[in-house]
Amino acid sequence: MQKYNQQEVDCRRTFGIISHPDAGKTTLTEKLLLFGGAIQMAGAVKARKAARHATSDWMAMEQERGISVTSSVMKFNYRDYEVNLLDTPGHQDFSEDTYRVLTAVDSALMVIDSAKGVETQTRKLMEVCRMRNTPIITFINKLDREGLEPLDLLADIEETLQVECAPLSWPIGMGKRFKGTYNLYRKELLLFSPGKETRGSDLLRITDLSDPQLDQLLGSQAEELRHDIELLEGAANPFELEEYLKGNQTPVFFGSAINNFGVRELLDAFVELAPGPSARQTTTREVSPYEEAFSGFVFKIQANMDPMHRDRIAFMRICSGKFTRGMKMRHHRIGKDINVSNATIFMAQDRSNVEEAYPGDIIGVHNHGTIKIGDTFTDKEPLKFTGIPSFAPEHFRRVRLKNPLKVKQLEKGLVQLAEEGAVQLFRPLISSDYILGAVGVLQFDVIVSRLKNEYGVDALYEGIEYATARWIECADKKKLAEFEKKNQGSLALDAEGNLTYLASSDWRLGHVAEQWPEVKFHKTREHN
Ligand code: GDP
């Protein structure tokens, strides 16, 4: 039987890039957009990042927000595929959104700096990918510079990230001796010419590595390559599509994004191997992307920073059916039908007036604060998608009001901002403090400024000695009461009233968890 939307679903690839700052995400994004024909945007990616670095004052942030709304989803066509690249903000913009974006993708690209190996932010983002077993393709970047030995890099990835590596290309030298890569499954040699952007014209098919042509081209490095490949055949894992799709194995490519080297090879493999829109779990059943009825969930909310226009854009990932402008959909949490005429459909550069969107696509729905993170929208069936949680904050501030009469406004503002996912709010059990929690520190700047502008709240934000938080669950009510009594000073309720343990250090958390084996300490929490 023909599945509804089959072609539209199968040609879509929705992904995010996970990397540590400076590994080359921006550079790679530009090159990908270049291949996708969205050339005019390539400069914009860099410009936006420069603006971010240069200043953090409010006006600039506001402008930047305006830009970042439109570049949160970068859509391009490549071959017969429609690719949605969702931005995973890094640097100072690192926030809970960065994590949450990864709940809306079907796969990810991991960029690693060949001189640095796996770094902290990559490790954190990988943890989020693990939650849904998101398939990951790895790009080891900056081979034009001296870096770690390729085999050591693979060992580092395997050990630190607990994922099997299957190299699909192999570098020939590095730094000054970098000659190119050998594609192990296509049996093609890709030659590197320094300072020259490669677009795939320097490909040579060399199926037999004993071919003397190899010695002419690579000199003494031909023998090194032969030796490496021989070693790999014995030591490396052969690529298995199934294992990659389950998130157990990552195919690895080597290249240099800035020289546009190895990028087309990566993109070709990506569209061919990466999964299209996958089925999604709800509280009641799994939803297939091929179902005719429309469904989608909200994973990100972006507020308009212009005080004159207090609207918000909810980013909705379509999971099934087809979106048409003006269609009615049901907003299940509040039990109302909404007419979506004023949506931003993130579309390819070369197509104007697109009025439809399909599973894997992202649409931006304008609203005035009625939509929350995790909200599900469908034709009519009452569904609730799962897997769009809150993530344990790692930065905390205590809010002190300058004018105590403003406490109502403060509370209203904080609850609303918590619902948008802009910050997390905790109320300690034994004090009347307001404690804010965030994954990235810049989130606090946004909150301070929005509380002031939108709610007229002037407050002080004090640093507070917490390292992390965990949501508490315990089936044994008696044990839970005992735990609460003994740990009162470290317990708080979040904005939705869930019991949370605020830990002063990871060590402390580990210690308490060990003492209370019946209590579960969750790192994420699903929205109600
Ligand atoms: P991001 O922070 O991950 O977005 O990283 P960028 O794309 O901004 O790159 C960080 C720095 O690394 C910049 O100075 C880039 O020019 C540089 N860079 C990116 N790719 C390469 C590469 O392949 N080789 C070298 N040598 N430098 C690179």
Side-chain angles (χ1 to χ4, degrees), residues 8-9 12-15 73 75 84 86 104 106 276-278 289 316-320 357-362:
E8 296 288 359
V9 172
R12 276 173 169 75
R13 296 288 180 271
T14 301
F15 78 111
V73 182
K75 178 146 187 152
N84 293 307
L86 307 197
D106 298 301
S278 50
M316 188 191 301
R317 145 109 198 193
I318 299 176
C319 298
S320 66
Y358 295 92
D361 286 340
I362 311 297

mmCIF file with all atom_site columns, all heavy atoms in Angstrom, residues 8-9 12-15 73 75 84 86 104 106 276-278 289 316-320 357-362:
data_model
loop_
_atom_site.group_PDB
_atom_site.id
_atom_site.type_symbol
_atom_site.label_atom_id
_atom_site.label_alt_id
_atom_site.label_comp_id
_atom_site.label_asym_id
_atom_site.label_entity_id
_atom_site.label_seq_id
_atom_site.pdbx_PDB_ins_code
_atom_site.Cartn_x
_atom_site.Cartn_y
_atom_site.Cartn_z
_atom_site.occupancy
_atom_site.B_iso_or_equiv
_atom_site.pdbx_formal_charge
_atom_site.auth_seq_id
_atom_site.auth_comp_id
_atom_site.auth_asym_id
_atom_site.auth_atom_id
_atom_site.pdbx_PDB_model_num
ATOM 1   N N   . GLU A 1 8   ? 7.627  12.813 -0.002 1.00 0.00 ? 8   GLU A N   1
ATOM 2   C CA  . GLU A 1 8   ? 7.959  14.023 0.757  1.00 0.00 ? 8   GLU A CA  1
ATOM 3   C C   . GLU A 1 8   ? 8.679  13.673 2.055  1.00 0.00 ? 8   GLU A C   1
ATOM 4   O O   . GLU A 1 8   ? 9.562  14.392 2.495  1.00 0.00 ? 8   GLU A O   1
ATOM 5   C CB  . GLU A 1 8   ? 6.684  14.824 1.074  1.00 0.00 ? 8   GLU A CB  1
ATOM 6   C CG  . GLU A 1 8   ? 5.959  15.379 -0.150 1.00 0.00 ? 8   GLU A CG  1
ATOM 7   C CD  . GLU A 1 8   ? 6.712  16.531 -0.798 1.00 0.00 ? 8   GLU A CD  1
ATOM 8   O OE1 . GLU A 1 8   ? 7.779  16.912 -0.309 1.00 0.00 ? 8   GLU A OE1 1
ATOM 9   O OE2 . GLU A 1 8   ? 6.197  17.039 -1.822 1.00 0.00 ? 8   GLU A OE2 1
ATOM 10  N N   . VAL A 1 9   ? 8.291  12.578 2.655  1.00 0.00 ? 9   VAL A N   1
ATOM 11  C CA  . VAL A 1 9   ? 8.928  12.173 3.915  1.00 0.00 ? 9   VAL A CA  1
ATOM 12  C C   . VAL A 1 9   ? 10.343 11.647 3.633  1.00 0.00 ? 9   VAL A C   1
ATOM 13  O O   . VAL A 1 9   ? 11.320 12.064 4.248  1.00 0.00 ? 9   VAL A O   1
ATOM 14  C CB  . VAL A 1 9   ? 8.101  11.091 4.648  1.00 0.00 ? 9   VAL A CB  1
ATOM 15  C CG1 . VAL A 1 9   ? 8.867  10.538 5.847  1.00 0.00 ? 9   VAL A CG1 1
ATOM 16  C CG2 . VAL A 1 9   ? 6.754  11.654 5.097  1.00 0.00 ? 9   VAL A CG2 1
ATOM 17  N N   . ARG A 1 12  ? 13.443 13.944 3.082  1.00 0.00 ? 12  ARG A N   1
ATOM 18  C CA  . ARG A 1 12  ? 13.813 14.947 4.086  1.00 0.00 ? 12  ARG A CA  1
ATOM 19  C C   . ARG A 1 12  ? 14.874 14.442 5.065  1.00 0.00 ? 12  ARG A C   1
ATOM 20  O O   . ARG A 1 12  ? 14.845 13.298 5.495  1.00 0.00 ? 12  ARG A O   1
ATOM 21  C CB  . ARG A 1 12  ? 12.578 15.427 4.836  1.00 0.00 ? 12  ARG A CB  1
ATOM 22  C CG  . ARG A 1 12  ? 11.891 16.533 4.028  1.00 0.00 ? 12  ARG A CG  1
ATOM 23  C CD  . ARG A 1 12  ? 10.583 16.966 4.586  1.00 0.00 ? 12  ARG A CD  1
ATOM 24  N NE  . ARG A 1 12  ? 10.123 18.184 3.929  1.00 0.00 ? 12  ARG A NE  1
ATOM 25  C CZ  . ARG A 1 12  ? 9.618  18.236 2.695  1.00 0.00 ? 12  ARG A CZ  1
ATOM 26  N NH1 . ARG A 1 12  ? 9.522  17.155 1.970  1.00 0.00 ? 12  ARG A NH1 1
ATOM 27  N NH2 . ARG A 1 12  ? 9.239  19.390 2.179  1.00 0.00 ? 12  ARG A NH2 1
ATOM 28  N N   . ARG A 1 13  ? 15.792 15.340 5.372  1.00 0.00 ? 13  ARG A N   1
ATOM 29  C CA  . ARG A 1 13  ? 16.845 15.036 6.345  1.00 0.00 ? 13  ARG A CA  1
ATOM 30  C C   . ARG A 1 13  ? 16.883 16.216 7.318  1.00 0.00 ? 13  ARG A C   1
ATOM 31  O O   . ARG A 1 13  ? 17.209 17.325 6.932  1.00 0.00 ? 13  ARG A O   1
ATOM 32  C CB  . ARG A 1 13  ? 18.214 14.937 5.659  1.00 0.00 ? 13  ARG A CB  1
ATOM 33  C CG  . ARG A 1 13  ? 18.347 13.802 4.649  1.00 0.00 ? 13  ARG A CG  1
ATOM 34  C CD  . ARG A 1 13  ? 18.419 12.453 5.346  1.00 0.00 ? 13  ARG A CD  1
ATOM 35  N NE  . ARG A 1 13  ? 18.534 11.369 4.395  1.00 0.00 ? 13  ARG A NE  1
ATOM 36  C CZ  . ARG A 1 13  ? 17.490 10.731 3.847  1.00 0.00 ? 13  ARG A CZ  1
ATOM 37  N NH1 . ARG A 1 13  ? 16.246 11.095 4.148  1.00 0.00 ? 13  ARG A NH1 1
ATOM 38  N NH2 . ARG A 1 13  ? 17.668 9.741  3.008  1.00 0.00 ? 13  ARG A NH2 1
ATOM 39  N N   . THR A 1 14  ? 16.533 15.956 8.564  1.00 0.00 ? 14  THR A N   1
ATOM 40  C CA  . THR A 1 14  ? 16.501 17.028 9.564  1.00 0.00 ? 14  THR A CA  1
ATOM 41  C C   . THR A 1 14  ? 17.563 16.733 10.607 1.00 0.00 ? 14  THR A C   1
ATOM 42  O O   . THR A 1 14  ? 17.514 15.698 11.267 1.00 0.00 ? 14  THR A O   1
ATOM 43  C CB  . THR A 1 14  ? 15.095 17.124 10.189 1.00 0.00 ? 14  THR A CB  1
ATOM 44  O OG1 . THR A 1 14  ? 14.166 17.380 9.130  1.00 0.00 ? 14  THR A OG1 1
ATOM 45  C CG2 . THR A 1 14  ? 15.006 18.230 11.226 1.00 0.00 ? 14  THR A CG2 1
ATOM 46  N N   . PHE A 1 15  ? 18.554 17.639 10.713 1.00 0.00 ? 15  PHE A N   1
ATOM 47  C CA  . PHE A 1 15  ? 19.673 17.320 11.599 1.00 0.00 ? 15  PHE A CA  1
ATOM 48  C C   . PHE A 1 15  ? 20.229 18.560 12.292 1.00 0.00 ? 15  PHE A C   1
ATOM 49  O O   . PHE A 1 15  ? 19.888 19.694 11.972 1.00 0.00 ? 15  PHE A O   1
ATOM 50  C CB  . PHE A 1 15  ? 20.779 16.599 10.810 1.00 0.00 ? 15  PHE A CB  1
ATOM 51  C CG  . PHE A 1 15  ? 21.627 17.517 9.967  1.00 0.00 ? 15  PHE A CG  1
ATOM 52  C CD1 . PHE A 1 15  ? 22.957 17.743 10.310 1.00 0.00 ? 15  PHE A CD1 1
ATOM 53  C CD2 . PHE A 1 15  ? 21.108 18.156 8.852  1.00 0.00 ? 15  PHE A CD2 1
ATOM 54  C CE1 . PHE A 1 15  ? 23.760 18.589 9.536  1.00 0.00 ? 15  PHE A CE1 1
ATOM 55  C CE2 . PHE A 1 15  ? 21.896 19.005 8.077  1.00 0.00 ? 15  PHE A CE2 1
ATOM 56  C CZ  . PHE A 1 15  ? 23.224 19.222 8.424  1.00 0.00 ? 15  PHE A CZ  1
ATOM 57  N N   . VAL A 1 73  ? 16.611 27.780 11.564 1.00 0.00 ? 73  VAL A N   1
ATOM 58  C CA  . VAL A 1 73  ? 16.421 26.641 10.680 1.00 0.00 ? 73  VAL A CA  1
ATOM 59  C C   . VAL A 1 73  ? 17.008 27.025 9.332  1.00 0.00 ? 73  VAL A C   1
ATOM 60  O O   . VAL A 1 73  ? 16.609 28.012 8.743  1.00 0.00 ? 73  VAL A O   1
ATOM 61  C CB  . VAL A 1 73  ? 14.928 26.314 10.490 1.00 0.00 ? 73  VAL A CB  1
ATOM 62  C CG1 . VAL A 1 73  ? 14.755 25.094 9.601  1.00 0.00 ? 73  VAL A CG1 1
ATOM 63  C CG2 . VAL A 1 73  ? 14.246 26.106 11.830 1.00 0.00 ? 73  VAL A CG2 1
ATOM 64  N N   . LYS A 1 75  ? 17.453 25.792 5.675  1.00 0.00 ? 75  LYS A N   1
ATOM 65  C CA  . LYS A 1 75  ? 16.962 24.735 4.805  1.00 0.00 ? 75  LYS A CA  1
ATOM 66  C C   . LYS A 1 75  ? 17.667 24.816 3.460  1.00 0.00 ? 75  LYS A C   1
ATOM 67  O O   . LYS A 1 75  ? 17.824 25.892 2.914  1.00 0.00 ? 75  LYS A O   1
ATOM 68  C CB  . LYS A 1 75  ? 15.457 24.913 4.628  1.00 0.00 ? 75  LYS A CB  1
ATOM 69  C CG  . LYS A 1 75  ? 14.853 23.908 3.707  1.00 0.00 ? 75  LYS A CG  1
ATOM 70  C CD  . LYS A 1 75  ? 13.464 23.534 4.137  1.00 0.00 ? 75  LYS A CD  1
ATOM 71  C CE  . LYS A 1 75  ? 13.005 22.394 3.274  1.00 0.00 ? 75  LYS A CE  1
ATOM 72  N NZ  . LYS A 1 75  ? 12.046 21.562 3.933  1.00 0.00 ? 75  LYS A NZ  1
ATOM 73  N N   . ASN A 1 84  ? 17.015 20.015 6.358  1.00 0.00 ? 84  ASN A N   1
ATOM 74  C CA  . ASN A 1 84  ? 16.757 21.023 7.386  1.00 0.00 ? 84  ASN A CA  1
ATOM 75  C C   . ASN A 1 84  ? 17.889 20.959 8.401  1.00 0.00 ? 84  ASN A C   1
ATOM 76  O O   . ASN A 1 84  ? 18.032 19.957 9.098  1.00 0.00 ? 84  ASN A O   1
ATOM 77  C CB  . ASN A 1 84  ? 15.455 20.738 8.143  1.00 0.00 ? 84  ASN A CB  1
ATOM 78  C CG  . ASN A 1 84  ? 14.230 20.889 7.263  1.00 0.00 ? 84  ASN A CG  1
ATOM 79  O OD1 . ASN A 1 84  ? 14.047 21.920 6.621  1.00 0.00 ? 84  ASN A OD1 1
ATOM 80  N ND2 . ASN A 1 84  ? 13.389 19.863 7.232  1.00 0.00 ? 84  ASN A ND2 1
ATOM 81  N N   . LEU A 1 86  ? 19.097 22.396 11.751 1.00 0.00 ? 86  LEU A N   1
ATOM 82  C CA  . LEU A 1 86  ? 18.639 23.178 12.905 1.00 0.00 ? 86  LEU A CA  1
ATOM 83  C C   . LEU A 1 86  ? 19.851 23.679 13.670 1.00 0.00 ? 86  LEU A C   1
ATOM 84  O O   . LEU A 1 86  ? 20.735 22.902 14.019 1.00 0.00 ? 86  LEU A O   1
ATOM 85  C CB  . LEU A 1 86  ? 17.762 22.332 13.830 1.00 0.00 ? 86  LEU A CB  1
ATOM 86  C CG  . LEU A 1 86  ? 16.568 21.600 13.216 1.00 0.00 ? 86  LEU A CG  1
ATOM 87  C CD1 . LEU A 1 86  ? 15.592 21.181 14.308 1.00 0.00 ? 86  LEU A CD1 1
ATOM 88  C CD2 . LEU A 1 86  ? 15.853 22.462 12.195 1.00 0.00 ? 86  LEU A CD2 1
ATOM 89  N N   . ALA A 1 104 ? 14.484 17.493 18.374 1.00 0.00 ? 104 ALA A N   1
ATOM 90  C CA  . ALA A 1 104 ? 13.653 17.681 17.189 1.00 0.00 ? 104 ALA A CA  1
ATOM 91  C C   . ALA A 1 104 ? 14.322 17.192 15.908 1.00 0.00 ? 104 ALA A C   1
ATOM 92  O O   . ALA A 1 104 ? 13.764 17.312 14.827 1.00 0.00 ? 104 ALA A O   1
ATOM 93  C CB  . ALA A 1 104 ? 13.284 19.158 17.049 1.00 0.00 ? 104 ALA A CB  1
ATOM 94  N N   . ASP A 1 106 ? 16.454 14.231 13.436 1.00 0.00 ? 106 ASP A N   1
ATOM 95  C CA  . ASP A 1 106 ? 16.466 12.786 13.202 1.00 0.00 ? 106 ASP A CA  1
ATOM 96  C C   . ASP A 1 106 ? 17.877 12.221 13.233 1.00 0.00 ? 106 ASP A C   1
ATOM 97  O O   . ASP A 1 106 ? 18.075 11.018 13.343 1.00 0.00 ? 106 ASP A O   1
ATOM 98  C CB  . ASP A 1 106 ? 15.826 12.477 11.848 1.00 0.00 ? 106 ASP A CB  1
ATOM 99  C CG  . ASP A 1 106 ? 14.378 12.928 11.838 1.00 0.00 ? 106 ASP A CG  1
ATOM 100 O OD1 . ASP A 1 106 ? 13.610 12.455 12.676 1.00 0.00 ? 106 ASP A OD1 1
ATOM 101 O OD2 . ASP A 1 106 ? 14.030 13.798 11.015 1.00 0.00 ? 106 ASP A OD2 1
ATOM 102 N N   . GLY A 1 276 ? 15.582 9.506  7.367  1.00 0.00 ? 276 GLY A N   1
ATOM 103 C CA  . GLY A 1 276 ? 14.576 10.537 7.158  1.00 0.00 ? 276 GLY A CA  1
ATOM 104 C C   . GLY A 1 276 ? 13.765 10.682 8.436  1.00 0.00 ? 276 GLY A C   1
ATOM 105 O O   . GLY A 1 276 ? 14.115 10.108 9.470  1.00 0.00 ? 276 GLY A O   1
ATOM 106 N N   . PRO A 1 277 ? 12.670 11.433 8.387  1.00 0.00 ? 277 PRO A N   1
ATOM 107 C CA  . PRO A 1 277 ? 11.842 11.622 9.572  1.00 0.00 ? 277 PRO A CA  1
ATOM 108 C C   . PRO A 1 277 ? 11.430 10.272 10.172 1.00 0.00 ? 277 PRO A C   1
ATOM 109 O O   . PRO A 1 277 ? 10.958 9.395  9.460  1.00 0.00 ? 277 PRO A O   1
ATOM 110 C CB  . PRO A 1 277 ? 10.633 12.374 9.041  1.00 0.00 ? 277 PRO A CB  1
ATOM 111 C CG  . PRO A 1 277 ? 11.169 13.115 7.866  1.00 0.00 ? 277 PRO A CG  1
ATOM 112 C CD  . PRO A 1 277 ? 12.185 12.210 7.244  1.00 0.00 ? 277 PRO A CD  1
ATOM 113 N N   . SER A 1 278 ? 11.643 10.152 11.466 1.00 0.00 ? 278 SER A N   1
ATOM 114 C CA  . SER A 1 278 ? 11.356 8.869  12.096 1.00 0.00 ? 278 SER A CA  1
ATOM 115 C C   . SER A 1 278 ? 10.028 8.912  12.839 1.00 0.00 ? 278 SER A C   1
ATOM 116 O O   . SER A 1 278 ? 9.458  9.974  13.050 1.00 0.00 ? 278 SER A O   1
ATOM 117 C CB  . SER A 1 278 ? 12.488 8.520  13.062 1.00 0.00 ? 278 SER A CB  1
ATOM 118 O OG  . SER A 1 278 ? 12.735 9.628  13.890 1.00 0.00 ? 278 SER A OG  1
ATOM 119 N N   . PRO A 1 289 ? 5.569  8.930  10.483 1.00 0.00 ? 289 PRO A N   1
ATOM 120 C CA  . PRO A 1 289 ? 5.562  10.137 9.640  1.00 0.00 ? 289 PRO A CA  1
ATOM 121 C C   . PRO A 1 289 ? 4.665  9.978  8.416  1.00 0.00 ? 289 PRO A C   1
ATOM 122 O O   . PRO A 1 289 ? 4.294  10.970 7.782  1.00 0.00 ? 289 PRO A O   1
ATOM 123 C CB  . PRO A 1 289 ? 7.029  10.287 9.231  1.00 0.00 ? 289 PRO A CB  1
ATOM 124 C CG  . PRO A 1 289 ? 7.632  8.935  9.410  1.00 0.00 ? 289 PRO A CG  1
ATOM 125 C CD  . PRO A 1 289 ? 6.890  8.295  10.536 1.00 0.00 ? 289 PRO A CD  1
ATOM 126 N N   . MET A 1 316 ? 7.782  24.563 15.695 1.00 0.00 ? 316 MET A N   1
ATOM 127 C CA  . MET A 1 316 ? 7.090  23.274 15.734 1.00 0.00 ? 316 MET A CA  1
ATOM 128 C C   . MET A 1 316 ? 7.684  22.309 14.716 1.00 0.00 ? 316 MET A C   1
ATOM 129 O O   . MET A 1 316 ? 7.843  22.637 13.542 1.00 0.00 ? 316 MET A O   1
ATOM 130 C CB  . MET A 1 316 ? 5.608  23.479 15.422 1.00 0.00 ? 316 MET A CB  1
ATOM 131 C CG  . MET A 1 316 ? 4.775  22.215 15.635 1.00 0.00 ? 316 MET A CG  1
ATOM 132 S SD  . MET A 1 316 ? 3.104  22.363 14.987 1.00 0.00 ? 316 MET A SD  1
ATOM 133 C CE  . MET A 1 316 ? 2.481  23.750 15.882 1.00 0.00 ? 316 MET A CE  1
ATOM 134 N N   . ARG A 1 317 ? 8.017  21.141 15.188 1.00 0.00 ? 317 ARG A N   1
ATOM 135 C CA  . ARG A 1 317 ? 8.511  20.097 14.287 1.00 0.00 ? 317 ARG A CA  1
ATOM 136 C C   . ARG A 1 317 ? 7.308  19.272 13.835 1.00 0.00 ? 317 ARG A C   1
ATOM 137 O O   . ARG A 1 317 ? 6.535  18.778 14.658 1.00 0.00 ? 317 ARG A O   1
ATOM 138 C CB  . ARG A 1 317 ? 9.512  19.223 15.035 1.00 0.00 ? 317 ARG A CB  1
ATOM 139 C CG  . ARG A 1 317 ? 9.485  17.760 14.663 1.00 0.00 ? 317 ARG A CG  1
ATOM 140 C CD  . ARG A 1 317 ? 10.676 17.306 13.896 1.00 0.00 ? 317 ARG A CD  1
ATOM 141 N NE  . ARG A 1 317 ? 10.359 16.048 13.234 1.00 0.00 ? 317 ARG A NE  1
ATOM 142 C CZ  . ARG A 1 317 ? 11.248 15.266 12.682 1.00 0.00 ? 317 ARG A CZ  1
ATOM 143 N NH1 . ARG A 1 317 ? 12.507 15.605 12.686 1.00 0.00 ? 317 ARG A NH1 1
ATOM 144 N NH2 . ARG A 1 317 ? 10.885 14.161 12.078 1.00 0.00 ? 317 ARG A NH2 1
ATOM 145 N N   . ILE A 1 318 ? 7.152  19.147 12.529 1.00 0.00 ? 318 ILE A N   1
ATOM 146 C CA  . ILE A 1 318 ? 6.037  18.355 12.013 1.00 0.00 ? 318 ILE A CA  1
ATOM 147 C C   . ILE A 1 318 ? 6.412  16.882 12.077 1.00 0.00 ? 318 ILE A C   1
ATOM 148 O O   . ILE A 1 318 ? 7.512  16.483 11.668 1.00 0.00 ? 318 ILE A O   1
ATOM 149 C CB  . ILE A 1 318 ? 5.707  18.768 10.571 1.00 0.00 ? 318 ILE A CB  1
ATOM 150 C CG1 . ILE A 1 318 ? 5.308  20.252 10.554 1.00 0.00 ? 318 ILE A CG1 1
ATOM 151 C CG2 . ILE A 1 318 ? 4.579  17.907 10.000 1.00 0.00 ? 318 ILE A CG2 1
ATOM 152 C CD1 . ILE A 1 318 ? 5.039  20.810 9.188  1.00 0.00 ? 318 ILE A CD1 1
ATOM 153 N N   . CYS A 1 319 ? 5.499  16.065 12.609 1.00 0.00 ? 319 CYS A N   1
ATOM 154 C CA  . CYS A 1 319 ? 5.783  14.642 12.779 1.00 0.00 ? 319 CYS A CA  1
ATOM 155 C C   . CYS A 1 319 ? 5.014  13.767 11.794 1.00 0.00 ? 319 CYS A C   1
ATOM 156 O O   . CYS A 1 319 ? 5.467  12.674 11.459 1.00 0.00 ? 319 CYS A O   1
ATOM 157 C CB  . CYS A 1 319 ? 5.440  14.206 14.195 1.00 0.00 ? 319 CYS A CB  1
ATOM 158 S SG  . CYS A 1 319 ? 6.405  15.059 15.415 1.00 0.00 ? 319 CYS A SG  1
ATOM 159 N N   . SER A 1 320 ? 3.832  14.212 11.379 1.00 0.00 ? 320 SER A N   1
ATOM 160 C CA  . SER A 1 320 ? 3.066  13.421 10.414 1.00 0.00 ? 320 SER A CA  1
ATOM 161 C C   . SER A 1 320 ? 2.132  14.341 9.648  1.00 0.00 ? 320 SER A C   1
ATOM 162 O O   . SER A 1 320 ? 1.898  15.483 10.047 1.00 0.00 ? 320 SER A O   1
ATOM 163 C CB  . SER A 1 320 ? 2.250  12.341 11.132 1.00 0.00 ? 320 SER A CB  1
ATOM 164 O OG  . SER A 1 320 ? 1.249  12.944 11.931 1.00 0.00 ? 320 SER A OG  1
ATOM 165 N N   . ALA A 1 357 ? 4.104  22.260 4.314  1.00 0.00 ? 357 ALA A N   1
ATOM 166 C CA  . ALA A 1 357 ? 5.286  21.694 4.962  1.00 0.00 ? 357 ALA A CA  1
ATOM 167 C C   . ALA A 1 357 ? 4.972  20.258 5.375  1.00 0.00 ? 357 ALA A C   1
ATOM 168 O O   . ALA A 1 357 ? 3.808  19.897 5.568  1.00 0.00 ? 357 ALA A O   1
ATOM 169 C CB  . ALA A 1 357 ? 5.665  22.530 6.176  1.00 0.00 ? 357 ALA A CB  1
ATOM 170 N N   . TYR A 1 358 ? 6.040  19.462 5.482  1.00 0.00 ? 358 TYR A N   1
ATOM 171 C CA  . TYR A 1 358 ? 5.893  18.011 5.670  1.00 0.00 ? 358 TYR A CA  1
ATOM 172 C C   . TYR A 1 358 ? 6.680  17.521 6.881  1.00 0.00 ? 358 TYR A C   1
ATOM 173 O O   . TYR A 1 358 ? 7.503  18.261 7.430  1.00 0.00 ? 358 TYR A O   1
ATOM 174 C CB  . TYR A 1 358 ? 6.364  17.298 4.394  1.00 0.00 ? 358 TYR A CB  1
ATOM 175 C CG  . TYR A 1 358 ? 5.486  17.611 3.214  1.00 0.00 ? 358 TYR A CG  1
ATOM 176 C CD1 . TYR A 1 358 ? 5.773  18.672 2.358  1.00 0.00 ? 358 TYR A CD1 1
ATOM 177 C CD2 . TYR A 1 358 ? 4.331  16.865 2.981  1.00 0.00 ? 358 TYR A CD2 1
ATOM 178 C CE1 . TYR A 1 358 ? 4.944  18.979 1.291  1.00 0.00 ? 358 TYR A CE1 1
ATOM 179 C CE2 . TYR A 1 358 ? 3.496  17.167 1.911  1.00 0.00 ? 358 TYR A CE2 1
ATOM 180 C CZ  . TYR A 1 358 ? 3.808  18.221 1.070  1.00 0.00 ? 358 TYR A CZ  1
ATOM 181 O OH  . TYR A 1 358 ? 2.971  18.522 0.032  1.00 0.00 ? 358 TYR A OH  1
ATOM 182 N N   . PRO A 1 359 ? 6.484  16.261 7.241  1.00 0.00 ? 359 PRO A N   1
ATOM 183 C CA  . PRO A 1 359 ? 7.239  15.716 8.380  1.00 0.00 ? 359 PRO A CA  1
ATOM 184 C C   . PRO A 1 359 ? 8.742  15.973 8.227  1.00 0.00 ? 359 PRO A C   1
ATOM 185 O O   . PRO A 1 359 ? 9.302  15.795 7.146  1.00 0.00 ? 359 PRO A O   1
ATOM 186 C CB  . PRO A 1 359 ? 6.920  14.222 8.319  1.00 0.00 ? 359 PRO A CB  1
ATOM 187 C CG  . PRO A 1 359 ? 5.532  14.180 7.766  1.00 0.00 ? 359 PRO A CG  1
ATOM 188 C CD  . PRO A 1 359 ? 5.498  15.268 6.733  1.00 0.00 ? 359 PRO A CD  1
ATOM 189 N N   . GLY A 1 360 ? 9.348  16.402 9.312  1.00 0.00 ? 360 GLY A N   1
ATOM 190 C CA  . GLY A 1 360 ? 10.762 16.773 9.281  1.00 0.00 ? 360 GLY A CA  1
ATOM 191 C C   . GLY A 1 360 ? 10.945 18.269 9.165  1.00 0.00 ? 360 GLY A C   1
ATOM 192 O O   . GLY A 1 360 ? 11.946 18.819 9.616  1.00 0.00 ? 360 GLY A O   1
ATOM 193 N N   . ASP A 1 361 ? 9.960  18.958 8.565  1.00 0.00 ? 361 ASP A N   1
ATOM 194 C CA  . ASP A 1 361 ? 10.041 20.413 8.424  1.00 0.00 ? 361 ASP A CA  1
ATOM 195 C C   . ASP A 1 361 ? 9.705  21.089 9.750  1.00 0.00 ? 361 ASP A C   1
ATOM 196 O O   . ASP A 1 361 ? 9.048  20.505 10.614 1.00 0.00 ? 361 ASP A O   1
ATOM 197 C CB  . ASP A 1 361 ? 9.055  20.910 7.357  1.00 0.00 ? 361 ASP A CB  1
ATOM 198 C CG  . ASP A 1 361 ? 9.528  20.577 5.947  1.00 0.00 ? 361 ASP A CG  1
ATOM 199 O OD1 . ASP A 1 361 ? 10.744 20.322 5.779  1.00 0.00 ? 361 ASP A OD1 1
ATOM 200 O OD2 . ASP A 1 361 ? 8.694  20.579 5.018  1.00 0.00 ? 361 ASP A OD2 1
ATOM 201 N N   . ILE A 1 362 ? 10.144 22.336 9.836  1.00 0.00 ? 362 ILE A N   1
ATOM 202 C CA  . ILE A 1 362 ? 9.869  23.127 11.037 1.00 0.00 ? 362 ILE A CA  1
ATOM 203 C C   . ILE A 1 362 ? 9.033  24.330 10.620 1.00 0.00 ? 362 ILE A C   1
ATOM 204 O O   . ILE A 1 362 ? 9.361  24.993 9.632  1.00 0.00 ? 362 ILE A O   1
ATOM 205 C CB  . ILE A 1 362 ? 11.188 23.654 11.659 1.00 0.00 ? 362 ILE A CB  1
ATOM 206 C CG1 . ILE A 1 362 ? 12.227 22.539 11.799 1.00 0.00 ? 362 ILE A CG1 1
ATOM 207 C CG2 . ILE A 1 362 ? 10.921 24.370 12.983 1.00 0.00 ? 362 ILE A CG2 1
ATOM 208 C CD1 . ILE A 1 362 ? 11.869 21.411 12.708 1.00 0.00 ? 362 ILE A CD1 1
#
